[in-house]
Amino acid sequence: MKKFARIIGTGSYLPPKVVTNHDLEKTLDTNDEWIVARTGISERRIVEEEGTCDLAVEASNNALEMAGIDANELDLIILATTTPDKIFPATATMLQNQIGAICPAFDLQAVCAGFVFAMTTAQQYIENGGAKKVLVVGSETMSRLVDQNDRSTAILFGDGAGAIVLSADDETGILHSKICSDGRYLSSLQVSNNRINELGFIQMSGNEVFKIAVNRLSNLAETTLQECDMTTEDLTWMVPHQANIRIITAVAKRIKLPMEKVVLTLDKHGNTSAASIPLALDVAVRDGRIKKGDKLMLEGIGGGFSWGGLLVEY
Ligand code: UT7
């Protein structure tokens, strides 16, 4: 019998330190009005002492608690991150040690699309019978990759983590997934270092990323709906990667989705890369907006470029 990968728990965690647009005005040639109008972001959280694993542990424990399972019941852990605490071992193994899980655990790097890539990978394991319970985490400390003197990127990124527990289910769960990469755009969004032992910061051609993001995400949403024999009206919620309100609005307009059906957290979180979708999902599950049976579209794009989307029955 076909198995589905069903979400049975969500969790998230944000470091306590808040950095507002007004805080950034003190060190950068920028202002709150510009940042809000061009991005939709008002504040973001930034780590002080915490690492990517620390954030992941809190989010994972919250998700496991909602799922009602112990970490030792997990068959697999996939941690999507661009900001691992060390080159090795994988931050996923540091996480499993902290939460007390004994199972395969690995990191997956697809930048802002990392969570969708990780969910798609977990879905394959579950549908093929290779795992029954999988923890999928997006955890990032992007502030470590940002040049705090570069106003074009310092205003955008924040730190945080989100986690999902997937369980093999006979009836429903992830209905469709698609991931894509196109390496021709490498230089539009990358870190500046050429070697792992050199310090590097994010370099971004914002305008180019913006246009490609709107184009690719709109096309992906349309294709996904067609392949699922659904229309925009069948969607209960869109939970997009939280990069820029103008990207999200443009995609919603292209697929004729009312903004009331879009979960937005970027005003308070900024762009948390691989963490942004599970963070937004957890917020909307816990405040009661997302309910059992809802049809969700999750989409993200980032460096590479890599992008992907999921259609999920919650
Ligand atoms: O997760 C995926 C990765 N990233 C993204 O999805 C980001 C995609 N791109 C974007 O979100 C937008 O391109 C940005 C928010 C980064 C920039 O917005 P924009 O509307 O594309 O602005 P722009 O780069 O065209 O700059 C417009 C003006 C420029 O001044 P001039 O040349 O018109 O005088 C910039 O120098 O705004 C200036 N500017 C700023 N002004 C105040 C750029 N950054 C700032 C700033 N504060 N922080």
Side-chain angles (χ1 to χ4, degrees), residues 30 34 38 112 151 189 204 206-207 241 243-244 246-247 271:
T30 190
W34 192 97
R38 297 288 179 131
C112 301
R151 68 177 182 173
L189 180 53
M204 182 176 71
N207 268 205
H241 169 49
N244 185 317
R246 292 185 297 131
I247 294 176
N271 180 348

Side-chain angles (χ1 to χ4, degrees), residues 28-32 34-35 37-39 41 111-113 142 150-157 189 202 204-211 213 241-247 271-273 276 300-303 305:
L28 288 171
D29 179 16
T30 190
N31 57 77
D32 179 55
W34 192 97
I35 302 172
R38 297 288 179 131
T39 71
I41 299 166
V111 208
C112 301
M142 292 303 281
D150 175 7
R151 68 177 182 173
S152 69
T153 53
I155 57 156
L156 296 175
F157 292 95
L189 180 53
I202 295 172
M204 182 176 71
S205 308
N207 268 205
E208 194 187 356
V209 178
F210 189 100
K211 284 180 207 145
H241 169 49
Q242 311 281 315
N244 185 317
I245 186 67
R246 292 185 297 131
I247 294 176
N271 180 348
T272 58
S273 188
S276 92
I301 186 165
F305 290 134

Side-chain angles (χ1 to χ4, degrees), residues 10 237 239 263-265 278-291:
T10 67
W237 293 104
V239 188
V263 176
L264 295 173
T265 52
L279 256 164
L281 187 65
D282 184 51
V283 167
V285 165
R286 285 177 192 267
D287 70 18
R289 269 180 289 173
I290 293 179
K291 299 185 181 65

